[in-house]
Amino acid sequence: MRVLSIAATGMSAQQLNVEVIAHNIANSNTTGFKRSRAEFSDLLYQIERSSSTPTVDGGSVVPEGAELGLGARLTSIRSINIQGPISNTGNQLDVAINGEGYFQVRNLDGNIAYTRAGTFNTDAAGQIVNSDGLPLDPPITVPTDTVGITISKTGEVFVRTAGGSTETSIGQISLAGFANPAGLHALGGNLFQVTEASGPATTANPGTSPLGVLEQGFLEESNVDPVQEITELISAQRAYELNSKVIQAADEMAGIVSKGLR
């Protein structure tokens, strides 16, 4: 019975939907995290009667045919790149992007990775690194006798050293923008990699259109709305249950037919 396989595709689709929602909820406190949404489409159609079938008198064709859909399938898991709330941390090396763009860090393989998480610190050599120790690109090194760091909205980094009365510029934080941020490949660890779908990175200083500006002492929170996720979880669960009931009904119908043939 085709109904069994059709309903099975619906159950599989809703299971994937629940997994995507679970991932969103799990990262509701992850800095700079962007929620995802599962998107589905219908499968192939089996033609029971073509709409091009001639009418009885042969003078025309029937206005509507009979095409039976064979279920649903996952087409994409789309990243929703909406700005998350910005919260004050007071840490001078916490930096939030207010607007579009990504920080650039040098990954362990030597390639550039991109992130919205601005949880920076300094390593033993004074180089500004992210929470996993990956250095900013281009690199910025803070002098050992620094007593204060200022990061402007346009990304210029200034330091004040012990005994000094003025601030000195030590580097520039640049941001990367993409034609299609949803096409970036997620590496985990709040990192993304460029792909053909995302298009190449376009780098510029913060505040250069269309890139956002930097906010020192702030972090961008996850854009996950727990209420919305719970609502969608309930909806997905109900859809899964309906598909399972279809399978149950089909099984009972098959049992009735089987008894009638004995």
Side-chain angles (χ1 to χ4, degrees), residues 14-231:
Q14 293 308 320
Q15 179 180 337
L16 286 168
N17 194 16
V18 169
E19 290 169 354
V20 171
I21 295 169
H23 180 65
N24 289 340
I25 294 173
N27 285 281
S28 58
N29 289 322
T30 299
T31 302
F33 177 79
K34 303 302 180 187
R35 68 179 295 268
S36 300
R37 182 180 68 231
E39 297 187 346
F40 303 93
S41 70
D42 45 357
L43 283 173
L44 297 174
Y45 284 78
Q46 193 167 56
I47 299 176
E48 301 293 330
R49 183 191 186 194
S50 174
S51 57
S52 299
T53 302
T55 56
V56 176
D57 60 7
S60 182
V61 295
V62 296
E64 290 181 298
E67 298 180 358
L68 176 64
L70 299 180
R73 69 180 179 91
L74 178 74
T75 55
S76 66
I77 299 177
R78 173 171 294 185
S79 178
I80 309 301
N81 291 296
I82 298 174
Q83 175 86 46
I86 294 178
S87 61
N88 187 354
T89 66
N91 187 335
Q92 62 181 357
L93 282 177
D94 282 344
V95 186
I97 302 174
N98 190 2
E100 297 184 20
Y102 291 80
F103 296 110
Q104 303 172 97
V105 295
R106 182 70 61 175
N107 212 344
L108 295 176
D109 60 8
N111 293 320
I112 298 296
Y114 305 92
T115 181
R116 291 282 298 187
T119 48
F120 297 116
N121 213 322
T122 54
D123 61 12
Q127 195 169 28
I128 296 180
V129 296
N130 73 352
S131 56
D132 289 324
L134 303 178
L136 270 176
D137 190 87
I140 299 176
T141 301
V142 178
T144 55
D145 58 346
T146 295
V147 294
I149 300 175
T150 300
I151 302 175
S152 72
K153 289 182 178 294
T154 56
E156 192 168 4
V157 182
F158 300 88
V159 297
R160 183 169 56 84
T161 56
S165 58
T166 59
E167 292 184 327
T168 303
S169 175
I170 60 169
Q172 172 72 46
I173 298 175
S174 61
L175 297 180
F178 299 90
N180 176 30
L184 289 169
H185 170 56
L187 299 173
N190 282 337
L191 300 178
F192 295 88
Q193 187 179 57
V194 67
T195 68
E196 289 186 12
S198 68
T202 301
T203 59
N205 291 342
T208 304
S209 181
L211 300 175
V213 296
L214 302 187
E215 302 291 348
Q216 183 183 17
F218 291 82
L219 285 177
E220 181 188 7
E221 299 177 5
S222 164
N223 68 355
V224 173
D225 180 353
V227 175
Q228 180 183 2
E229 299 300 329
I230 293 299
T231 302

